[in-house]
Amino acid sequence: QSALTQPASVSGSPGQSITISCTGTSSDVGTYNLVSWYQQHPGKAPKLMIYEVNKRPSGFSNRFSASKSGNRASLTISGLQAEDEADYYCCSYAGNSLWVFGGGTKLTVL
Amino acid sequence: QVQLQESGPGLVKPSETLSLNCIVSGDSISSYYWTWIRQPPGKGLEWIGYIYNSESTNYNPSLKSRVTISVDTSKMQFSLKVNSVTAADTAVYYCARAQYDHAFDIWGQGTMVTVSS
């Protein structure tokens, strides 16, 4: 069970769009539509922002969207705002009652 | 509104046992995956394991030999024990809830545990 692969960092200017990738294997991301994404601000607990690949919890901004193709999931943030600067983590169910997280991506809003 | 609150010692000596509790308020402690997740300083999240329906457990294979998760329904809390700790177990430990969608929708605030003599 290896961690999912995410870029260490991404950046964008206010108003722009960015995409964060999350690459797994046929044993996790590729098999299960149970990919979730979490936003974590410094010193805070992670917060669920996407579940079941592309669903948003009520109250979460529609500037955040996500998708999956094969073994790769993606999170897109449109209309970047300063408050989007945070760490983002993907997570996938990996079968056999196991979960695996990505290594995390630091988003910098320039 | 469901809330989770971790508690336990902030400092544990090497080779000893790390013990944490997570109190659940605002919901039943049954029928969910009550989970522990940790984050070493400056690093990413690591799934530790869960307890489901008060009896079924599963653990990260990398930690399985040292970890036990249990539940006390009368106290509305679930617990984590990690045996034979080393400095590598130093982390912020979070308790969290997952539902049928396998996403962690509720998190505790986290508690920092340092392993040091």
Side-chain angles (χ1 to χ4, degrees):
Chain A
Q1 184 193 15
S2 300
L4 308 177
T5 301
Q6 297 181 235
S9 63
V10 297
S11 62
S13 300
Q16 287 185 333
S17 296
I18 63 95
T19 296
I20 298 172
S21 63
C22 170
T23 303
T25 69
S26 58
S27 297
D28 39 61
V29 175
T31 293
Y32 301 98
N33 288 324
L34 295 171
V35 178
S36 51
W37 290 88
Y38 303 84
Q39 178 188 60
Q40 185 181 35
H41 286 107
K44 301 294 186 182
K47 185 175 181 181
L48 176 66
M49 51 190 301
I50 296 286
Y51 65 100
E52 291 182 335
V53 176
N54 56 13
K55 298 178 181 178
R56 279 189 312 275
S58 60
F60 222 98
S61 171
N62 59 10
R63 294 188 299 106
F64 297 86
S65 62
S67 62
K68 189 190 88 166
S69 177
N71 297 339
R72 183 171 167 138
S74 298
L75 172 71
T76 297
I77 307 174
S78 58
L80 269 180
Q81 299 179 1
E83 58 262 36
D84 298 333
E85 186 159 294
D87 293 328
Y88 293 85
Y89 293 90
C90 62
C91 181
S92 177
Y93 180 67
N96 296 317
S97 299
L98 301 172
W99 276 257
V100 61
F101 280 97
T105 298
K106 181 177 181 60
L107 169 61
T108 300
V109 180
L110 302 171
Chain B
Q1 181 181 355
V2 182
Q3 291 186 316
L4 305 179
Q5 177 66 59
E6 304 91 347
S7 63
L11 181 64
V12 181
K13 290 183 169 55
S15 81
E16 296 190 345
T17 297
L18 178 161
S19 296
L20 296 174
N21 295 318
C22 179
I23 293 178
V24 179
S25 59
D27 199 356
S28 166
I29 201 166
S30 302
S31 302
Y32 296 110
Y33 295 94
W34 298 104
T35 302
W36 287 97
I37 295 162
R38 70 181 184 180
Q39 185 172 35
K43 296 188 178 180
L45 302 169
E46 180 180 34
W47 177 79
I48 298 172
Y50 73 80
I51 186 163
Y52 177 76
N53 250 353
S54 302
E55 58 183 17
S56 174
T57 58
N58 204 19
Y59 306 115
N60 188 320
S62 67
L63 298 168
K64 191 169 186 173
S65 63
R66 299 192 296 126
V67 169
T68 303
I69 297 176
S70 59
V71 67
D72 186 334
T73 54
S74 65
K75 294 183 179 178
M76 289 289 286
Q77 70 179 29
F78 61 106
S79 303
L80 170 71
K81 291 187 186 299
V82 183
N83 301 324
S84 306
V85 297
T86 69
D89 295 308
T90 293
V92 175
Y93 285 76
Y94 295 100
C95 56
R97 182 187 82 172
Q99 301 190 60
Y100 66 94
D101 54 15
H102 294 70
F104 304 108
D105 62 340
I106 306 292
W107 294 68
Q109 65 184 27
T111 187
M112 180 69 199
V113 179
T114 301
V115 178
S116 174
S117 56

